[in-house]
């Protein structure tokens, strides 16, 4: 069965964790940067996505740090999560290549 | 703990377990980091914004309806709502399609089929155009529900708003009470479709689409057969009148499905609760039929239907609730 394409928030959250573990607020900032300021995740949306990705084994908690008297949890991409992200990137690249090919043909 | 942190913690009590234990502390930290980065004093006097409240409410609903990682009970609740949305949505869409086809026929818009002879010019009832627009939305909604398209939720919301407006235009008229009661029936299904994200219906569950569609189609078939068979001065019998409208067939189908499914141990909690919720939704429409008192004995038929459906609701609801209570409250699906 072909895996379902990731939703944009899930794709960007996985992408935000691709280079290093991040905490919730860090993920929001990274997603905003990755999307060129277009996507600013709301906290509830972020944790809905994290909940789903954790249940699917794509991310996991990495460590906890105390920050201003409160616990801050960092998340990292798992091997399965990296695979999901790479598959999605390949799918998007294939689509983009196909469309670019069509755009190169100027209508008569 | 700052006043702002306390307010966020109070807001996050909306989340169900086990998600609250898993995420609430970290969510508070993220909310506070986002809220106080630019203005540290905000921790003293600030409070969650309306957008934050709506955001948490949406997450709470999603988790209670069995989003991935939710508890087994939440998954059962989600499946119940999805079942109600799908079967109720298909039934309403079939009714809408029948209404659209009838209107097209009466106006001579069906190619090859002449319009029926009418005693006078056609006068549109108040809100008729809006009601037809809602019918189109309902048909589109059913297609989206079956295919699992995300458009189902906005379509359900639009159909619900349209139905409320169409019903409002009938207030004050002779059919106001049945119209409002019928709105309640439709609203249950449409709210279910708004709440739960659509999922493509697997092949093995296609009967959940076929049964409500076929059952709803029986009403015009019976009505037409009765009309063809009756002599001009005959009054239709009360049972024929009841089965000449979808509500009557929906009641018969609900009781029949419950009689077949409830004794089977393999019927899931969601299946049982789905029957109960659909029955609750049907009761107002059935009660609205009491207002149609033109045919002798019709009220007795409607009361019989009400008693049977109410009994089905009680049995299905009780057995479904027992099954849900037997599920562990905190375990993941």
């Amino acid at each position: 069965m072909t895996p379902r394409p990731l939703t944009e928030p899930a794709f960007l959250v996985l992408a935000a964790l691709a280079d290093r573990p991040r905490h919730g607020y860090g993920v929001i900032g990274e997603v905003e940067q990755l999307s060129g300021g277009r996507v600013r995740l709301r906290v509830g949306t972020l944790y809905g996505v994290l909940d789903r990705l954790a249940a699917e084994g794509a991310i996991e908690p990495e460590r906890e740090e105390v920050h201003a008297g409160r616990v801050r949890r960092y998340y990292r991409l798992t091997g399965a999560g990296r695979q999901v992200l790479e598959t999605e990137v390949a799918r998007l690249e294939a689509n983009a290549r196909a469309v670019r090919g069509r755009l190169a043909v100027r209508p008569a | 703990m700052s006043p702002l942190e306390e307010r966020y913690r109070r807001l996050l009590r909306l989340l169900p377990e086990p998600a609250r234990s898993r995420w609430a502390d970290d969510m508070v930290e993220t909310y506070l980091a986002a809220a106080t980065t630019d203005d540290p004093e905000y921790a003293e006097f600030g409070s969650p914004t309306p957008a934050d409240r709506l955001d948490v409410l949406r997450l709470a609903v999603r988790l209670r309806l069995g989003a991935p990682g939710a508890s087994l009970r939440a998954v059962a609740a989600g499946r119940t709502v999805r079942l109600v949305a799908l079967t109720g949505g298909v039934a309403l869409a079939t009714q809408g399609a029948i209404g659209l086809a009838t209107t097209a026929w009466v106006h001579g818009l069906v190619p090859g089929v002449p319009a029926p002879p009418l005693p006078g010019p056609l006068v549109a009832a108040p809100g008729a155009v809006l009601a037809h627009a809602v019918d189109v939305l309902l048909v589109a909604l059913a297609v989206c529900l079956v295919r699992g398209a995300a458009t189902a939720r906005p379509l359900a919301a639009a159909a619900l708003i349209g139905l409320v407006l169409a019903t409002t235009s009938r207030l004050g008229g002779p059919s106001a009470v049945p119209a409002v009661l019928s709105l309640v029936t439709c609203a249950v299904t449409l709210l279910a479709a708004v709440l739960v994200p659509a999922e493509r219906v697997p092949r093995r569950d296609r009967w959940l689409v076929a049964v409500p569609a076929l059952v709803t189609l029986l009403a015009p078939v019976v009505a037409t057969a009765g009309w063809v068979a009756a002599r001009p001065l005959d009054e239709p019998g009360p049972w024929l009148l009841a089965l000449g409208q979808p509500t009557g067939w929906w009641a018969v189908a609900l009781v029949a499905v419950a009689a077949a499914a409830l004794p089977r141990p393999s019927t899931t909690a969601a299946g049982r609760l789905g029957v109960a919720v659909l029955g609750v939704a049907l009761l107002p429409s059935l009660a609205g039929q009491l207002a149609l008192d033109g045919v002798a004995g019709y009220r007795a038929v409607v009361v019989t239907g009400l008693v049977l459906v109410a009994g089905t609701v009680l049995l299905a609801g009780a057995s479904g609730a027992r099954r849900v209570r037997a599920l562990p409250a905190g375990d993941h699906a």
Side-chain angles (χ1 to χ4, degrees):
Chain A
M1 201 177 98
T2 317
R4 277 170 65 134
L6 289 171
T7 60
E8 190 180 32
F11 175 71
L12 289 171
V13 168
L14 288 178
L17 296 175
D19 59 343
R20 62 188 172 90
R22 287 190 160 84
H23 54 76
Y25 187 57
V27 172
I28 291 175
E30 188 64 12
V31 164
E32 192 170 5
Q33 202 176 342
L34 277 170
S35 65
R38 191 173 48 82
V39 178
R40 169 127 182 115
L41 288 180
R42 299 211 64 84
V43 177
T45 310
L46 169 68
Y47 282 87
V49 172
L50 289 178
D51 192 48
R52 180 154 56 85
L53 293 174
E56 291 168 359
I59 62 154
E60 62 189 6
E62 194 241 4
R63 66 179 192 277
E64 290 184 342
E65 282 180 4
V66 176
H67 173 83
R70 297 185 303 271
V71 175
R72 177 173 274 188
R73 196 183 297 158
Y74 285 72
Y75 303 92
R76 72 170 165 215
L77 209 56
T78 62
R82 188 166 293 279
Q83 183 63 49
V84 168
L85 188 59
E86 280 173 2
T87 306
E88 183 66 6
V89 168
R91 192 184 70 81
L92 293 172
E93 277 175 348
N95 281 350
R97 262 197 312 277
V99 174
R100 206 166 284 287
R102 293 292 172 93
L103 283 171
V105 181
R106 295 211 171 268
Chain B
M1 188 186 299
S2 71
L4 182 59
E5 181 175 348
E6 210 172 302
R7 287 175 197 129
Y8 272 115
R9 286 195 182 280
R10 216 169 24 239
L11 174 64
L12 291 172
R13 282 190 208 142
L14 285 174
L15 299 181
E17 288 294 0
R20 188 167 63 210
S21 304
R22 255 199 325 261
W23 301 108
D25 285 345
D26 203 37
M27 285 181 77
V28 168
E29 159 59 21
T30 305
Y31 270 124
L32 292 177
T36 57
T37 298
D38 300 329
D39 181 5
E41 285 186 16
Y42 191 68
E44 286 305 313
F45 55 82
S47 64
T49 63
D52 288 341
R53 291 177 194 279
L54 189 65
D55 197 37
V56 172
L57 187 65
R58 279 175 51 194
L59 180 61
V61 170
R62 278 195 55 223
L63 290 170
R64 279 176 205 282
L65 294 182
S71 68
L72 289 168
R73 290 185 182 185
V75 170
R79 286 185 182 151
T80 303
V81 177
R82 184 164 285 122
L83 182 71
V84 170
L86 179 66
T87 50
V90 170
L92 291 179
T94 310
Q95 192 185 16
I98 293 167
L100 289 171
T102 309
T103 306
W105 172 52
V106 168
H107 285 85
L109 298 174
V110 182
V113 181
L118 296 169
L122 282 168
V123 180
V129 175
L130 186 55
H132 288 321
V134 171
D135 286 342
V136 173
L137 289 176
L138 289 172
V139 173
L141 169 65
V143 173
C144 289
L145 286 171
V146 172
R147 296 176 62 89
T151 332
R153 297 170 96 171
L155 273 175
L160 183 55
I161 293 167
L163 267 178
V164 169
L165 294 175
T167 306
T168 309
S169 69
R170 290 169 69 178
L171 294 179
S175 60
V177 173
V180 170
L181 291 171
S182 166
L183 172 66
V184 176
T185 295
C186 300
V188 172
T189 286
L190 294 175
L191 274 177
V194 168
L195 284 176
V196 75
E199 266 179 21
R200 192 180 184 86
V201 180
R203 196 173 288 275
R204 66 174 188 281
D205 288 343
R206 288 283 162 94
W207 66 275
L208 290 171
V209 178
V211 169
L214 290 174
V215 163
T216 310
L217 280 170
L218 282 172
V221 171
V222 168
T224 310
W227 175 69
V228 169
R231 289 186 298 275
L233 295 177
D234 272 357
E235 188 181 66
W239 285 99
L240 183 65
L241 187 63
L243 296 178
Q245 35 206 319
T247 320
W249 279 108
W250 292 342
V252 170
L254 188 88
V255 174
V257 166
L262 293 184
R264 293 166 60 139
S266 59
T267 303
T268 60
R272 292 163 195 272
L273 291 176
V275 167
V277 175
L278 286 166
V280 168
L282 186 54
L283 285 171
S285 268
L286 267 178
Q289 296 290 312
L290 289 171
L292 307 174
D293 198 19
V295 174
Y298 187 60
R299 279 197 164 183
V301 171
V302 174
V303 170
T304 306
L306 280 169
V307 170
L308 286 172
V309 171
T312 303
V313 166
L314 289 176
L315 287 174
S319 71
R322 253 198 319 274
R323 293 271 176 132
V324 169
R325 276 199 297 273
L327 295 172
D331 278 15
H332 298 192

